[in-house]
Amino acid sequence: LARPKFAFLDRVSTALETGELSKVLKLLAQNSITCIAVGGGDDEERWYDAILELQQDGSWEWRAVPQSGKHASVKDHPRLF
């Protein structure tokens, strides 16, 4: 398979249990694959480095997620969630 630079994940937390999701995200990070995940408000923020919230009126908000307790930092494994 090709070595993609990006992976787009659509509501992956609805298809995978927490342990499986952790393994997938770690594997992608170890291979320097940037992830862009589409999720819902019920997704756990701990898996993400940053959140981009899009509103119905077209406005948006970008915010970083604190790194404490995460399996890796964005500096060590560049990913975008």
Side-chain angles (χ1 to χ4, degrees):
L1 291 175
R3 290 243 179 221
K5 294 184 181 198
F6 298 93
F8 292 86
L9 307 175
D10 186 9
R11 293 193 173 260
V12 69
S13 64
T14 62
L16 299 175
E17 294 181 11
T18 301
E20 295 169 325
L21 177 56
S22 176
K23 288 177 186 176
V24 167
L25 295 177
K26 285 179 184 179
L27 181 63
L28 292 171
Q30 288 169 354
N31 287 283
S32 298
I33 299 172
T34 300
C35 294
I36 300 173
V38 176
D42 56 343
D43 288 351
E44 292 187 51
E45 289 187 5
R46 67 182 171 136
W47 299 116
Y48 306 110
D49 295 318
I51 304 289
L52 174 62
E53 279 192 49
L54 305 174
Q55 304 301 325
Q56 290 182 350
D57 66 1
S59 64
W60 56 272
E61 178 186 358
W62 174 273
R63 59 187 167 85
V65 175
Q67 297 296 311
S68 63
K70 290 185 71 175
H71 61 270
S73 78
V74 68
K75 182 178 176 183
D76 297 330
H77 302 288
R79 296 184 326 273
L80 172 63
F81 289 102

